[in-house]
Amino acid sequence: MTYVRQVGPGCAALGRALVAGGVMSGDWAGAFADVPRSAFLPDLMWPWDMAAGCSVPVSRTDDPQRWQEFADSDCPIVTQWDDGNHLGTEPGAVSTSSASMPSVVFRMLRDLDVRAGDRVLEVGTATGWNAALLAHRAGAGRVISMEVDEAVAGRARTVLERFGSSARVVHGDGFGGYPEGAPYDRIIGTCGLRRFPWGWVEQCRPGGIVVAPWGTHFSNADGVARLVVADDGLSASGRFTGPVEFMKLRAQRLPPVVHGEYVRESVKEGWESSTGVTEAEFLGERFGAQRFAVGVRVPDCLCVEAEKREGARPVWLYGLRDRSWACVLFRDGDDARVWQYGARRLWDEAEAAYRWWVAHGRPGYERFGLTVTAEGERVWLDGAGDFWKV
Ligand SMILES: C[S@@+](CC[C@H](N)C(=O)[O-])C[C@H]1O[C@@H](n2cnc3c(N)ncnc32)[C@H](O)[C@@H]1O
């Protein structure tokens, strides 16, 4: 295993761009320069190539310049596929460990508001880069980072030690937090949550901050939840700060949904209707808040967009607790056809949720918030109003 420790001109340029773009606060510039992402990346990695629209293999041995350029650019970099079961150079099926986009890392660090001397728990070590940044800010012996994958944890431990970081890596399932190190002033999850772990709130001191991506199985549109633990320690609450897409906490990943287990022969088995909601309205932007909002209003449902062919795009909704399904076929210039089957009318639920979102002024992530207690979690809109339980 080889490591690079180099702050090249590309790294400095990325730092300036992150500050200019308002995603990295100026007080992180020193840490960004002292703790370059390239020092934590493996020789073979799979950065997201914006131009190609896919992950591409890049080897430092074969092409050091290209490797360094990707390391110093604002792209996510996959470092493991298929829980380590996929070997070889080509990308695997599912990315299971990565170095997150620098702009996402620094947005979340800004939300976390870490101060010197804070005790910090990170869940999702991966390369160890974020743990090293946290340790740079919080100080020696203040950061514990948990990683569920043993090989990933082992590599991060080695890299952090060689880098000279004091961040401590613990191999284990971070869903339960790490009570041995509690109480923490700050807890950050760097994997997407589908249920917020109550243990994280319990292990964070009153007034402490917990930051993590949170969303529903409906889509990958997560929001960064920034929760402050209440003075009595019995809840944590706060708004979402913006959109994000993250690989999920391992135990909360959705098992593959098999289409044939829902639709036996054709959509004609379903009850047929139409809708005036258009494809552009319903799907919106990739990071738009409506997918997040609809997901919260339509629990236990997965939305899958099929490929658009000859002006027609099918969008499937699958019930996750029963075999209900819906298919809406959006067609350019025409009302969409809808077929629904099973105990739930999933399209009716999704359309009502979409119209609810529109009626409330198309709220962005920042108008939504999350409250977590020992009993469960609630998403809300605009402070106290419109509570509902998930
Ligand atoms: C997106 S990566 C984290 C990025 C990283 N913090 C960085 O510095 O860029 C997500 C990591 O979370 C880990 N993970 C998933 N579920 C976990 C769990 N239950 N406990 C601890 N780590 C987990 C994955 O194995 C993966 O390495």
Side-chain angles (χ1 to χ4, degrees):
M1 223 184 314
T2 47
Y3 308 95
V4 186
R5 184 168 186 176
Q6 177 194 334
V7 186
C11 183
L14 174 61
R16 284 193 299 275
L18 293 174
V19 173
V23 286
M24 184 167 84
S25 45
D27 60 327
W28 276 103
F32 179 82
D34 290 348
V35 187
R37 179 164 79 152
S38 55
F40 296 84
L41 296 170
D43 190 276
L44 175 63
M45 63 187 194
W46 296 266
W48 182 260
D49 185 333
M50 302 288 175
C54 60
S55 295
V56 292
V58 179
S59 153
R60 190 168 78 96
T61 308
D62 297 344
D63 195 343
Q65 192 183 334
R66 193 158 180 252
W67 187 96
Q68 190 70 47
E69 280 168 9
F70 275 116
D72 292 339
S73 60
D74 191 23
C75 67
I77 299 178
V78 174
T79 51
Q80 186 201 61
W81 296 97
D82 304 328
D83 295 333
N85 297 319
H86 175 85
L87 301 175
T89 308
E90 289 312 307
V94 180
S95 58
T96 47
S97 195
S98 68
S100 306
M101 277 176 87
S103 53
V104 169
V105 168
F106 283 98
R107 261 177 45 208
M108 290 177 68
L109 287 175
R110 185 188 56 199
D111 291 344
L112 196 64
D113 192 19
V114 183
R115 316 234 166 135
D118 278 350
R119 286 193 64 81
V120 184
L121 175 67
E122 179 193 38
V123 175
T125 316
T127 63
W129 182 45
N130 198 41
L133 288 166
L134 289 165
H136 186 281
R137 167 64 58 93
R142 308 305 282 175
V143 175
I144 296 173
S145 183
M146 294 193 74
E147 172 55 55
V148 73
D149 187 291
E150 191 167 10
V152 173
R155 180 188 178 278
R157 199 175 286 123
T158 307
V159 177
L160 282 160
E161 276 170 20
R162 287 199 194 174
F163 188 78
S165 172
S166 68
R168 182 176 150 219
V169 177
V170 174
H171 166 233
D173 183 349
F175 181 79
Y178 190 65
E180 294 86 335
Y184 302 101
D185 301 290
R186 301 287 185 265
I187 297 183
I188 181 168
T190 57
C191 41
L193 301 176
R194 292 294 169 263
R195 285 284 176 271
F196 217 97
W198 170 241
W200 295 10
V201 179
E202 279 185 312
Q203 291 166 33
C204 198
R205 67 160 169 82
I209 297 172
V210 187
V211 170
W214 184 97
T216 69
H217 286 305
F218 190 80
S219 75
N220 272 331
D222 289 5
V224 177
R226 182 185 192 273
L227 310 184
V228 178
V229 180
D231 288 345
D232 60 9
L234 297 178
S235 66
S237 192
R239 288 181 187 264
F240 292 93
T241 62
V244 79
E245 227 181 85
F246 255 91
M247 53 187 64
K248 310 299 171 245
L249 186 112
R250 201 173 264 198
Q252 296 183 358
R253 297 188 298 207
L254 187 64
V257 165
V258 181
H259 181 81
E261 291 176 4
Y262 285 78
V263 185
R264 302 259 161 66
E265 285 171 23
S266 85
V267 292
K268 299 273 158 54
E269 294 157 41
W271 174 67
E272 190 173 345
S273 61
S274 66
T275 176
V277 176
T278 67
E279 176 188 351
E281 285 172 332
F282 186 67
L283 297 178
E285 311 244 318
R286 181 161 175 212
F287 291 105
Q290 78 270 40
R291 295 190 197 205
F292 174 83
V294 172
V296 171
R297 302 281 290 183
V298 186
D300 302 315
C301 177
L302 169 70
C303 177
V304 177
E305 285 167 49
E307 209 179 305
K308 189 163 187 168
R309 285 203 191 128
E310 295 168 10
R313 181 194 295 285
V315 173
W316 292 92
L317 302 173
Y318 301 99
L320 300 177
R321 289 197 187 269
D322 63 12
R323 289 283 182 256
S324 296
W325 57 260
C327 175
V328 51
L329 184 65
F330 292 110
R331 291 178 298 195
D332 291 345
D334 209 350
D335 273 0
R337 307 297 312 157
V338 177
W339 295 269
Q340 306 186 73
Y341 183 88
R344 290 176 75 182
R345 290 279 190 256
L346 287 172
W347 172 253
D348 294 355
E349 289 185 39
E351 180 171 341
Y354 170 73
R355 294 194 186 285
W356 172 91
W357 179 75
V358 171
H360 283 77
R362 303 173 189 268
Y365 286 86
E366 296 78 3
R367 282 179 58 192
F368 289 94
L370 183 70
T371 297
V372 180
T373 65
E375 284 73 47
E377 51 201 350
R378 289 169 187 272
V379 178
W380 40 265
L381 180 70
D382 295 336
D386 283 306
F387 268 76
W388 66 95
K389 200 170 178 210
V390 286

